[in-house]
Amino acid sequence: MVSKKSDIFIELQDLVVDIAIPLAEEIHFEKRDKYSFALVATYFSILEQSWVILALIDKELGLHSLPHLRAQIEGLAEMKLLLGDESYLLSLELRNELASKQRLINAKRGNPYLKLIAEKVEIESELSRIGKRISELERMGAKKYEMKEKLDKADLKDEREALYGYLSDYSHGSLRALLKRHLQDTGDEDFRVVAFHQQDMSEFDATLHTSVDVILRASQLIHHKFETGHEERFLGLIESRSKA
C-alpha cells in the first residue's frame, strides 16, 4: 500500500521546486570568486539534499534520508561560518589540502584504490607543494575544526544536542540504525530480519519539518548576502512557521 503524502511532504516539495529554485536563479555572483562560489555551492547542495530526502521518503526508505538531513545541517553551519567571517574560507581550503595530502600519502604507500594516482602523479613534488600551501594557510590563520565545534560556532548548539548524534548514527551504520532498518516486529515477541524494510512516510514528518527549516534559514541568508530582494519572503515564511 502506497503511503499518502503528508502536508509537510508537499510543503517541502513546493518550497524547493516552486520557491527556492526559481528564486536562486536571481542570485548573481562572480563565479571565479572562491568565497562567493563556496557560499552559493553550499546552498545549492542543501537544496539538492532536500530532493534526495523527499525521494527516499517517497520510496518508503525514509531511514536512509537521515544522513542527508545531517548533511543539510552541516551545510547550514558552513554557510553561517562563511557569512560570519570571510576568512573561514581559509579553513575550508586547509581541510581540502589536508585531505589531498593524506590521499597522496596513501597512494605512495601502495593503496590499490589509488594506483592511478601513484602512476600518474609526481607524488613527492605534489606533497611538497601541498605542504607549503598548508603552512601558508596556517600562517594566515586557517584552523581545522571538528563538525561539533563548527555547529557551536554557527549558533547551532540546539541542533547539535538534539539531532546531530542521532543523525550520525544513521550515517555511520550504528547498531541502532541496523536494528531500525532491518528488524521487523511480527508480534508474539518475535521478529524478522528484512531488507528494503518499508517505512510509512508519516514516520518522517519530523525529518521533513527540519529540512524545511534548514531550507528557509539557508535561503534567507543567501538572499540577504547577495541582495536579491527576496530575503523578506523567506523571513516571512520563517515567522509564519514559528507561529503555527
Side-chain angles (χ1 to χ4, degrees), residues 162-194:
L163 300 174
Y164 196 74
Y166 174 76
L167 297 175
S168 294
D169 278 351
Y170 288 89
S171 300
H172 301 304
S174 70
L175 181 58
R176 185 207 319 238
L178 294 175
L179 290 170
K180 195 74 170 158
R181 287 173 183 156
H182 302 296
L183 288 191
Q184 183 181 51
D185 185 3
T186 59
D188 299 323
E189 298 183 353
D190 201 2
F191 60 88
R192 290 191 301 164
V193 178
V194 298

Side-chain angles (χ1 to χ4, degrees), residues 70-137:
R70 186 183 84 147
Q72 283 192 305
I73 293 172
E74 291 175 344
L76 180 61
E78 299 287 14
M79 283 186 68
K80 294 185 73 173
L81 292 172
L82 282 166
L83 289 165
D85 181 2
E86 288 193 23
S87 69
Y88 177 70
L89 180 65
L90 298 175
S91 295
L92 294 183
E93 290 189 61
L94 176 63
R95 184 175 68 188
N96 185 63
E97 295 292 359
L98 289 170
S100 296
K101 176 183 176 182
Q102 189 58 55
R103 191 172 178 83
L104 287 170
I105 290 171
N106 292 338
K108 182 179 177 181
R109 290 173 177 169
N111 188 303
Y113 291 101
L114 303 174
K115 184 179 179 181
L116 287 178
I117 292 177
E119 292 174 350
K120 295 184 177 182
V121 175
E122 292 290 338
I123 291 182
E124 294 301 333
S125 174
E126 191 63 10
L127 281 172
S128 176
R129 183 195 66 76
I130 290 175
K132 291 176 182 177
R133 180 57 178 161
I134 289 172
S135 296
E136 179 185 11
L137 289 167

Side-chain angles (χ1 to χ4, degrees), residues 13-14 24 52-53 70 91 119 145 157 174 181 201 240:
Q13 182 175 267
D14 291 348
V52 176
I53 289 169
R70 186 183 84 147
S91 295
E119 292 174 350
Y145 297 102
K157 184 179 179 181
S174 70
R181 287 173 183 156
M201 294 170 67
S240 65

Side-chain angles (χ1 to χ4, degrees), residues 11 13-26 43 212-213 215-224 227-242:
E11 181 180 346
Q13 182 175 267
D14 291 348
L15 173 62
V16 175
V17 176
D18 297 333
I19 301 174
I21 291 175
L23 294 184
E25 295 177 2
E26 298 183 33
Y43 176 62
V212 167
D213 180 59
I215 290 288
L216 289 175
R217 285 193 279 173
S219 297
Q220 183 270 319
L221 290 171
I222 202 78
H223 285 278
H224 173 74
E227 300 179 341
T228 65
H230 298 301
E231 174 190 2
E232 292 300 323
R233 180 168 185 181
F234 290 104
L235 279 173
L237 291 170
I238 291 169
E239 289 171 4
S240 65
R241 281 178 59 82
S242 68

